Structures are given as structure tokens and as C-alpha cells.
């Protein structure tokens, strides 16, 4: 009985931790974007500017921009973004951040 109770508590804890871990990844992804990408991309409240790259909030809402699209995009070179080389964990975090923007 004690083993079953322990298993139930552990499973419940893991279920609750999932969203927390996802939020942490999105928060880390936002930090990566703020550090490396915001120099060229507009921020959420910026006025449109043809010299700047679009807001991430606009990019994620474009047709076909789903998790698979962004995963592939983050693993390809894109000028002038090729000068920024993200590590695999940073790419995963940026992907989590982008997906969090779709939910807003």
C-alpha cells in the first residue's frame, strides 16, 4: 500500500512539474532572444519599421509556422542570422518561447 501511495504521489508531482518546466524553458528562450535577436527584431510594442525584422509575436501567427517549422528553421543557416550560433539547449528553449507566444 505504501508503494502504491508513493507511486501515486510521484506521478502526480511529475504531472504538475511538466508545465513548470515548459515555462522555465520559455523563460530561458526569451532570455536568448533578448540577448541575441532583439537587436534586429521589433519588440511587441514597437511601431512597424521596414528596416527591422518582424516581431516574434507576428512571426508565430503566420500560416504554417508550427513547432516543426521552427525546429527546422532553428537548425538551418539564415543570413544575417548565421553569425549567431545557438547551442542545442538554446534552440530548444527558443522553440519553447516561440510556442508560448502562439498561446497568447
Amino acid at each position: 500500500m505504501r508503494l502504491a501511495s508513493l507511486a501515486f504521489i510521484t506521478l502526480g508531482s511529475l504531472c504538475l512539474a511538466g508545465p513548470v518546466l515548459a515555462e522555465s524553458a520559455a523563460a530561458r528562450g526569451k532570455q536568448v532572444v533578448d540577448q541575441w535577436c532583439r537587436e534586429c527584431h521589433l519588440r511587441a510594442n514597437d511601431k512597424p519599421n521596414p528596416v527591422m525584422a518582424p516581431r516574434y509575436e507576428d512571426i508565430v501567427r503566420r500560416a504554417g509556422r508550427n513547432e516543426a517549422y521552427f525546429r527546422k528553421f532553428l537548425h538551418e543557416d539564415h543570413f544575417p542570422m548565421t553569425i549567431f550560433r545557438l547551442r542545442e539547449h538554446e534552440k530548444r528553449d527558443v522553440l519553447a518561447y516561440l510556442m508560448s507566444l502562439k498561446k497568447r
Side-chain angles (χ1 to χ4, degrees):
M1 186 68 165
R2 293 183 109 192
L3 184 58
S5 296
L6 182 59
F8 181 74
I9 290 169
T10 302
L11 182 59
S13 297
L14 290 174
C15 290
L16 292 175
V20 172
L21 293 175
E23 289 173 347
S24 297
R28 289 189 308 268
K30 183 180 184 317
Q31 289 175 341
V32 171
V33 166
D34 286 343
Q35 180 180 3
W36 296 109
C37 311
R38 292 293 190 184
E39 187 174 321
C40 296
H41 281 269
L42 292 167
R43 287 173 168 62
N45 296 322
D46 290 347
K47 293 180 182 179
N49 181 341
V51 176
M52 298 288 289
R55 298 173 189 92
Y56 285 101
E57 294 78 4
D58 296 334
I59 294 170
V60 299
R61 289 183 178 90
R62 293 179 181 168
R65 303 296 169 97
N66 56 23
E67 188 171 339
Y69 172 87
F70 287 115
R71 182 175 288 113
K72 181 179 180 208
F73 183 87
L74 287 166
H75 285 88
E76 295 174 347
D77 287 338
H78 300 88
F79 183 79
M81 293 176 3
T82 57
I83 60 173
F84 301 111
R85 298 285 181 195
L86 300 179
R87 295 185 169 110
E88 287 304 312
H89 70 276
E90 292 171 316
K91 291 176 186 179
R92 286 190 302 270
D93 292 344
V94 168
L95 180 61
Y97 171 64
L98 294 173
M99 294 300 95
S100 76
L101 293 177
K102 288 183 85 71
K103 298 174 185 174
R104 294 183 187 173

Short mmCIF file of all heavy atoms in Angstrom, two decimals, residues 10 16 21-23 47 52 69 87 91 97 99 103:
data_model
loop_
_atom_site.label_atom_id
_atom_site.label_comp_id
_atom_site.label_asym_id
_atom_site.label_seq_id
_atom_site.Cartn_x
_atom_site.Cartn_y
_atom_site.Cartn_z
N THR A 10 4.42 10.43 -6.66
CA THR A 10 5.47 10.72 -7.63
C THR A 10 4.87 11.06 -8.99
O THR A 10 5.27 12.04 -9.62
CB THR A 10 6.43 9.52 -7.76
OG1 THR A 10 6.97 9.24 -6.47
CG2 THR A 10 7.54 9.81 -8.74
N LEU A 16 2.43 17.73 -12.46
CA LEU A 16 2.42 19.15 -12.12
C LEU A 16 3.70 19.85 -12.54
O LEU A 16 3.70 21.03 -12.85
CB LEU A 16 2.22 19.32 -10.61
CG LEU A 16 0.86 18.91 -10.07
CD1 LEU A 16 0.85 19.01 -8.55
CD2 LEU A 16 -0.25 19.77 -10.66
N LEU A 21 8.23 23.17 -15.98
CA LEU A 21 9.43 23.00 -16.79
C LEU A 21 9.28 23.70 -18.13
O LEU A 21 10.22 24.30 -18.63
CB LEU A 21 9.74 21.52 -16.98
CG LEU A 21 10.15 20.75 -15.72
CD1 LEU A 21 10.30 19.27 -16.03
CD2 LEU A 21 11.42 21.32 -15.13
N ALA A 22 8.09 23.62 -18.73
CA ALA A 22 7.85 24.29 -20.01
C ALA A 22 7.97 25.80 -19.85
O ALA A 22 8.54 26.48 -20.70
CB ALA A 22 6.48 23.90 -20.56
N GLU A 23 7.44 26.35 -18.76
CA GLU A 23 7.55 27.78 -18.53
C GLU A 23 9.00 28.18 -18.34
O GLU A 23 9.44 29.22 -18.81
CB GLU A 23 6.72 28.18 -17.31
CG GLU A 23 5.24 28.11 -17.58
CD GLU A 23 4.42 28.35 -16.33
OE1 GLU A 23 4.97 28.33 -15.22
OE2 GLU A 23 3.22 28.55 -16.48
N LYS A 47 6.52 50.26 -32.95
CA LYS A 47 5.79 50.63 -34.17
C LYS A 47 6.46 49.93 -35.35
O LYS A 47 7.67 49.66 -35.32
CB LYS A 47 5.84 52.14 -34.37
CG LYS A 47 5.08 52.90 -33.33
CD LYS A 47 5.16 54.38 -33.57
CE LYS A 47 4.41 55.11 -32.45
NZ LYS A 47 4.47 56.55 -32.63
N MET A 52 13.63 46.97 -39.70
CA MET A 52 13.76 45.94 -38.67
C MET A 52 13.08 44.65 -39.10
O MET A 52 12.15 44.66 -39.90
CB MET A 52 13.11 46.42 -37.36
CG MET A 52 13.75 47.65 -36.75
SD MET A 52 15.35 47.32 -36.03
CE MET A 52 14.89 46.37 -34.61
N TYR A 69 8.05 23.59 -38.07
CA TYR A 69 8.64 24.63 -38.90
C TYR A 69 9.80 25.32 -38.16
O TYR A 69 10.90 25.47 -38.69
CB TYR A 69 7.59 25.67 -39.30
CG TYR A 69 8.20 26.86 -40.00
CD1 TYR A 69 8.41 26.85 -41.37
CD2 TYR A 69 8.59 27.98 -39.28
CE1 TYR A 69 8.99 27.93 -42.00
CE2 TYR A 69 9.18 29.07 -39.90
CZ TYR A 69 9.38 29.04 -41.26
OH TYR A 69 9.96 30.11 -41.89
N ARG A 87 23.43 26.97 -29.18
CA ARG A 87 23.62 25.58 -28.77
C ARG A 87 22.27 24.88 -28.83
O ARG A 87 21.23 25.51 -28.86
CB ARG A 87 24.21 25.55 -27.37
CG ARG A 87 25.60 26.14 -27.33
CD ARG A 87 26.20 25.98 -25.95
NE ARG A 87 27.60 26.29 -25.99
CZ ARG A 87 28.13 27.36 -25.44
NH1 ARG A 87 27.36 28.22 -24.79
NH2 ARG A 87 29.42 27.59 -25.52
N LYS A 91 18.42 26.36 -28.62
CA LYS A 91 17.42 26.21 -29.68
C LYS A 91 16.12 25.65 -29.12
O LYS A 91 15.02 26.11 -29.47
CB LYS A 91 17.94 25.30 -30.79
CG LYS A 91 19.07 25.91 -31.59
CD LYS A 91 19.61 24.91 -32.60
CE LYS A 91 20.84 25.47 -33.30
NZ LYS A 91 21.40 24.53 -34.26
N TYR A 97 9.89 29.22 -26.24
CA TYR A 97 9.46 30.63 -26.17
C TYR A 97 8.53 30.96 -27.33
O TYR A 97 7.46 31.55 -27.13
CB TYR A 97 10.68 31.55 -26.17
CG TYR A 97 10.33 33.00 -26.31
CD1 TYR A 97 9.58 33.65 -25.34
CD2 TYR A 97 10.74 33.73 -27.42
CE1 TYR A 97 9.25 34.99 -25.47
CE2 TYR A 97 10.42 35.06 -27.57
CZ TYR A 97 9.67 35.68 -26.58
OH TYR A 97 9.33 37.02 -26.73
N MET A 99 6.68 28.97 -29.12
CA MET A 99 5.40 28.28 -28.95
C MET A 99 4.56 28.93 -27.86
O MET A 99 3.34 28.96 -27.96
CB MET A 99 5.63 26.80 -28.66
CG MET A 99 6.26 26.00 -29.80
SD MET A 99 5.28 26.01 -31.32
CE MET A 99 6.00 27.34 -32.25
N LYS A 103 0.28 30.97 -27.82
CA LYS A 103 -0.81 30.78 -26.87
C LYS A 103 -1.36 32.10 -26.35
O LYS A 103 -2.37 32.12 -25.68
CB LYS A 103 -0.32 29.94 -25.69
CG LYS A 103 0.11 28.56 -26.11
CD LYS A 103 0.71 27.79 -24.97
CE LYS A 103 1.25 26.45 -25.44
NZ LYS A 103 1.96 25.74 -24.38
#
